Amino acid sequence: MPPLEERGHVQFNIRHASLKRIASTSVYEVQPSTLLAPSSLPVYRCLSPSTTATSATLTTTMARHFCIPGVFFLTCALVLLVLTSISLPTLTAFDITRVHFDTASSTSDASAINQIRFGIWAYCSDNADSGSRDCSTRGHAYEVQIDSPNNGNTVTIGSSWTRGLAIHPVAAAVTFLAFIFSFSQHVTLTLIASLLSFLAAIITLIAFACDIALLAFVRHELSDHLQNTSAQTITGPGFWLTFVSFILLLLAGCTVCFGRRRTRMDRASSSYPMTSTKTPFWRRFRRNY
């Protein structure tokens, strides 16, 4: 009768137990046929180191593939925010608010215009006579005065309504930081990238609120003070680029966050490379010798 070994509250009857050392490693494999455990306990088999390494590599690859959409969303949002932040007078096509006049009006520089565009750093107006486009001097918190040729009324768009537009470059800078951190495979840096994406989304939302405020104010002032002048206030491309950037940043933050969570779960499961095998029902009544 072989000796009885006790491990805590679990007793094993070992008959000719043998251990086989795996070559060039320090992992030992227990032969299942030589170990007879009680029927109420499962039998555990250790996985080989090569299987563990393959599982860890597959986990890292799947996690990186899961984060690729987040990097793509961050790239698109960064490009859109950079284009919006450059704005007028460099890129005259990316204005925030645009006003069309059927009857020629005049601005503070006393030139007749049929269109005016509001950007982040300046405004541009289309000359009604020559058709050329003139832009104001680049600066923060500019002011615009629009005069009506019919009733002589003047509409002033103060600097307080254009000062908040400068938050667009701040959102672009935070998005750039999130874009840089998103390439890291470290769990902590990936978490930072996710938090920066959400922070950039919040800042972009504030910038979009400033765009809405400028659009609403310009439309209200022109409709109240320039009744005899047909003016149509519409949104510019920069207005919608800001909104799309906000959506992309939300998607990027969620994707990077879920990718980090998937990485942690996969690493936790791969840290215990042991599988359990339940004892068949008929072996519960097997007699141990």
Side-chain angles (χ1 to χ4, degrees):
M1 191 73 175
L4 182 65
E5 290 190 16
E6 183 175 352
R7 299 291 185 267
H9 299 286
V10 181
Q11 295 179 349
F12 292 92
N13 294 324
I14 302 178
R15 181 181 182 183
H16 306 294
S18 62
L19 297 176
K20 182 176 68 177
R21 182 180 177 86
I22 300 177
S24 67
T25 63
S26 60
V27 179
Y28 291 89
E29 187 180 74
V30 180
Q31 299 295 332
S33 60
T34 62
L35 181 60
L36 300 178
S39 58
S40 61
L41 296 176
V43 178
Y44 292 95
R45 296 177 297 181
C46 297
L47 300 177
S48 61
S50 59
T51 305
T52 305
T54 304
S55 177
T57 304
L58 181 61
T59 297
T60 305
T61 304
M62 293 178 61
R64 288 306 304 163
H65 287 325
F66 197 78
C67 291
I68 286 178
V71 177
F72 174 75
F73 293 146
L74 283 175
T75 303
C76 296
L78 178 61
V79 172
L80 296 182
L81 285 176
V82 167
L83 292 177
T84 307
S85 299
I86 295 176
S87 190
L88 281 64
T90 304
L91 299 177
T92 57
F94 296 97
D95 54 317
I96 304 298
T97 301
R98 187 176 300 183
V99 181
H100 295 277
F101 298 99
D102 293 339
T103 304
S105 301
S106 60
T107 57
S108 53
D109 56 359
S111 59
I113 61 172
N114 54 16
Q115 184 185 104
I116 184 171
R117 299 184 178 187
F118 295 88
I120 295 178
W121 310 110
Y123 71 92
C124 295
S125 57
D126 293 348
N127 194 295
D129 299 328
S130 62
S132 61
R133 180 167 296 167
D134 302 323
C135 297
S136 63
T137 305
R138 174 184 291 271
H140 175 231
Y142 58 88
E143 182 176 328
V144 183
Q145 289 184 354
I146 304 175
D147 299 328
S148 174
N150 297 328
N151 52 20
N153 292 338
T154 301
V155 173
T156 302
I157 309 299
S159 58
S160 58
W161 295 97
T162 59
R163 182 178 291 110
L165 301 177
I167 199 173
H168 288 81
V170 179
V174 178
T175 304
F176 177 73
L177 293 178
F179 175 74
I180 295 299
F181 282 106
S182 64
F183 285 97
S184 176
Q185 297 183 1
H186 196 275
V187 178
T188 304
L189 296 181
T190 307
L191 175 61
I192 294 177
S194 178
L195 294 178
L196 288 176
S197 299
F198 287 119
L199 178 60
I202 294 175
I203 299 176
T204 305
L205 180 61
I206 298 175
F208 186 64
C210 294
D211 298 344
I212 296 176
L214 176 63
L215 174 67
F217 180 75
V218 171
R219 181 175 296 175
H220 176 267
E221 290 296 308
L222 293 179
S223 62
D224 283 355
H225 298 86
L226 302 181
Q227 296 90 353
N228 298 328
T229 302
S230 178
Q232 182 182 6
T233 306
I234 60 175
T235 57
F239 182 92
W240 295 113
L241 290 182
T242 305
F243 176 73
V244 173
S245 300
F246 169 69
I247 300 298
L248 291 174
L249 287 172
L250 284 182
L251 294 176
C254 294
T255 306
V256 175
C257 182
F258 292 157
R260 175 184 177 272
R261 180 177 178 84
R262 182 184 181 93
T263 303
R264 293 186 59 185
M265 294 178 62
D266 291 341
R267 287 182 179 178
S269 61
S270 62
S271 299
Y272 302 93
M274 302 182 68
T275 58
S276 62
T277 304
K278 292 185 178 180
T279 305
F281 175 76
W282 59 86
R283 289 191 178 182
R284 296 182 181 180
F285 304 97
R286 183 176 178 179
R287 182 178 179 183
N288 298 329
Y289 296 97

